[in-house]
Amino acid sequence: MSRSGWRKENSWWQDGLQFTCIEGCGKCCNEPGGIVNLSVEDAKRLAQYFELTTSDWLERDCVRKLDGKWVLRSKKSDGICIYLDKEMSCTVYSAKPNQCSAFPWWGENLRSERTWKKTARTCPGLEIHEAPIIAGEIISKWVEADRHSSKGFRHLPE
């Protein structure tokens, strides 16, 4: 069993789930107090996107949690993601953190059908009946990407 509490071979979602991201929705990013965990790869990709060194980008757009791991900074005014604009669009979409790309396929959301239904109450893309079915193999890859980001990092590798 993985750290997130699921095993792919016994997962209730292994045959796939319906989902489509709704343009202009942004509900998953518009959460005051939300924490975006970062992997080293995320930090390097976003630094490159902004044409900064990774250290400079971390200093500008991130903060350290109490355990020393780097997370994306939120806006001081409302606690919302710094990269969410007024039109509810991601301003770094092509370079966004893997944890963001992995939503709604987080282990915590897929732990049970009950937690999935709770997630569906806040994500309209899970309630679109015409939405495509996302295969269990793809879901599993996103769960792993989220787990990797959730581990975070404290120091950049040399």
Side-chain angles (χ1 to χ4, degrees):
M1 187 173 291
S2 75
R3 185 178 66 87
S4 61
W6 64 273
R7 284 173 30 185
K8 182 180 180 277
E9 63 274 7
N10 294 329
S11 298
W12 62 270
W13 47 264
Q14 68 186 356
D15 292 331
L17 294 169
Q18 285 186 294
F19 172 69
T20 190
C21 193
I22 300 171
E23 188 173 339
C25 170
K27 282 189 166 193
C28 53
C29 305
N30 194 17
E31 288 291 321
I35 294 175
V36 177
N37 294 295
L38 300 166
S39 67
V40 169
E41 298 84 8
D42 292 329
K44 290 179 178 180
R45 184 176 57 256
L46 280 154
Q48 184 176 27
Y49 179 86
F50 287 106
E51 299 179 352
L52 295 170
T53 66
T54 305
S55 296
D56 286 346
W57 177 78
L58 286 169
E59 188 66 33
R60 186 186 83 176
D61 289 358
C62 301
V63 295
R64 284 187 184 257
K65 295 188 326 188
L66 291 176
D67 64 3
K69 294 179 190 173
W70 289 99
V71 296
L72 193 60
R73 184 183 309 276
S74 296
K75 295 176 193 169
K76 288 183 181 178
S77 61
D78 58 12
I80 303 294
C81 178
I82 59 172
Y83 297 137
L84 186 66
D85 68 18
K86 291 179 183 174
E87 287 76 41
M88 302 299 279
S89 293
C90 178
T91 61
V92 296
Y93 189 83
S94 64
K96 68 183 174 179
N98 283 337
Q99 186 177 34
C100 300
S101 295
F103 187 84
W105 316 116
W106 295 350
E108 65 192 69
N109 295 341
L110 293 164
R111 189 164 286 126
S112 68
E113 289 183 66
R114 182 177 174 197
T115 59
W116 186 248
K117 287 177 184 175
K118 183 178 177 186
T119 303
R121 289 195 297 265
T122 60
C123 178
L126 298 176
E127 297 187 324
I128 304 292
H129 296 291
E130 306 83 38
I133 294 177
I134 308 302
E137 294 80 27
I138 294 172
I139 294 170
S140 181
K141 288 178 184 178
W142 283 119
V143 170
E144 289 302 321
D146 173 53
R147 285 186 65 225
H148 178 67
S149 294
S150 293
K151 288 179 184 176
F153 70 97
R154 291 174 182 83
H155 307 286
L156 287 172
E158 297 289 324

